[in-house]
Amino acid sequence: MRYYYAEHEAAYRRVEQEGMTQWNDLFEEDRTEDFGAFPNRAFLEHALTRLDLPSSAEVDVLEYGCGTGPAACFLAARGFQVDAIDLIPQAITLARRFARQRGLDVTFGVQDMCALADEPVSKQYDLIVDSYCLQSIVTDADRASVFAAVRARLKAGGCYLVSTAMYEPDRSYGAGFRYDPTTGICYQEVPSTGAGHDAVEIDGIWYHPHRRHLTAMALRDELERAGLRVLSQDGPYKGDLICVRASAHRAEARG
C-alpha cells in the first residue's frame, strides 16, 4: 500500500460515517455545511475569468484528487464537461451521490494519479485541475509522474490550475512529524514493524512521506523543470497557480 492511501481511505470513511460532505469538514476550523464552500473556489472563480476559453460546453476538464467532488460539481454547474478521479473508492461513491443530488453530469472514476503517466492517453483536456491534492503527492518520482500525466493530457493551449498547501514559516507539525527544509517534505513517524516500501529511516527512526510544503520559488522551479510554464502564482503563500505546457504557444492569462 502506497504511503498516501491509508490516510485518505480512513478520512473518507469518516466523512461518510459522520455525515460530512468534504475533506475539510474533518477539521473543526474548516467545517462547513455548504458543499459549495470548498477551499479553492475563489481561485477557480478568478482563474476562469482570466482564461481565454471557448463556451463552457466546449471545455473539457479533468480534476484529479477530486475527493467528494465539490470542485467538479462547481465546474459542471457552469456547463463544463468534467471528468474527475480519486484513488479512494469511497470518495468517488460520495462524489457520485452529491452530483446526482444536484442534477449534475460528472464522469467520476477511481484512479491513482501517480499511476496515470504509465497509461495510454485516451483523452486530452482544456483544463486540468488540482484542488489541494498535490501536497499529498510527496516523493520526487510520484510528483514527476503526476506532472508527466498532466503534460500528456493537456490540449495545445490547455491550462493546468493548481491549488496546493505551501511552506508556512509558522506551521507547527507536532509530535511524530519531521520537516526537511531542504526538500519541503514532512515525514510522519511509523513503527519499524509497519514500515512499507515507501518508508525511510532518519536518525534511527522510520518515517513515511506525509506532505510536501514547498516555498513559492521551489514550487515554481519544480513545475518548470517538469516542462510546465507558470503564467501566474497567487494566494497568501503563492499556492494558486495557472500553468501551461512549456512548449505551448498561448497568450498570457489576462490580468
Side-chain angles (χ1 to χ4, degrees):
M1 182 182 293
R2 298 303 310 279
Y3 60 88
Y4 44 73
Y5 194 91
E7 177 197 6
H8 289 78
E9 181 183 46
Y12 286 114
R13 187 184 311 118
R14 183 182 160 200
V15 166
E16 181 182 38
Q17 290 173 346
E18 298 186 20
M20 303 174 185
T21 63
Q22 56 183 295
W23 175 277
N24 272 40
D25 289 349
L26 295 166
F27 308 97
E28 190 64 41
E29 65 273 17
D30 296 325
R31 189 168 297 187
T32 174
E33 294 183 2
D34 183 359
F35 182 69
F38 55 94
N40 62 326
R41 176 172 178 150
F43 167 63
L44 290 182
E45 288 177 332
H46 180 60
L48 293 174
T49 67
R50 299 180 62 187
L51 301 178
D52 185 17
L53 296 170
S55 66
S56 57
E58 301 175 76
V59 177
D60 291 315
V61 181
L62 171 65
E63 185 191 15
Y64 67 83
C66 68
T68 59
C73 287
F74 164 84
L75 293 163
R78 280 148 185 78
F80 296 104
Q81 310 307 298
V82 183
D83 295 339
I85 59 175
D86 198 280
L87 79 160
I88 304 300
Q90 190 55 57
I92 293 299
T93 297
L94 291 170
R96 287 174 175 150
R97 179 194 303 168
F98 296 143
R100 186 169 58 250
Q101 289 171 349
R102 290 159 177 79
L104 297 172
D105 184 12
V106 181
T107 301
F108 288 106
V110 177
Q111 173 69 56
D112 185 344
M113 188 63 184
C114 294
L116 199 59
D118 297 326
E119 297 188 8
V121 177
S122 60
K123 184 176 180 179
Q124 290 187 307
Y125 296 88
D126 301 283
L127 296 177
I128 297 181
V129 177
D130 181 315
S131 302
Y132 289 98
C133 177
L134 187 59
Q135 70 268 10
S136 295
I137 302 169
V138 179
T139 68
D140 288 344
D142 285 340
R143 289 168 75 91
S145 292
V146 167
F147 296 143
V150 167
R151 281 199 321 271
R153 286 162 179 79
L154 273 177
K155 292 180 182 178
C159 287
Y160 179 33
L161 307 182
V162 180
S163 294
T164 186
M166 302 290 287
Y167 168 74
E168 299 178 24
D170 298 329
R171 187 192 298 274
S172 175
Y173 290 98
F177 293 91
R178 179 184 184 124
Y179 181 75
D180 180 356
T182 64
T183 62
I185 296 176
C186 172
Y187 295 95
Q188 183 175 21
E189 186 176 343
V190 295
S192 58
T193 54
H197 75 277
D198 289 312
V200 296
E201 186 178 11
I202 305 173
D203 296 335
I205 299 173
W206 285 96
Y207 297 89
H208 276 170
H210 178 64
R211 295 287 187 271
R212 195 152 191 173
H213 295 142
L214 296 175
T215 64
M217 184 59 69
L219 177 58
R220 190 183 190 98
D221 289 347
E222 179 187 34
L223 288 163
E224 291 179 350
R225 289 195 305 271
L228 294 157
R229 183 161 60 94
V230 177
L231 299 184
S232 69
Q233 186 171 11
D234 301 304
Y237 295 97
K238 305 297 184 182
D240 293 324
L241 302 98
I242 301 174
C243 310
V244 296
R245 291 202 314 252
S247 60
H249 296 287
R250 180 191 180 91
E252 296 290 317
R254 298 192 301 271

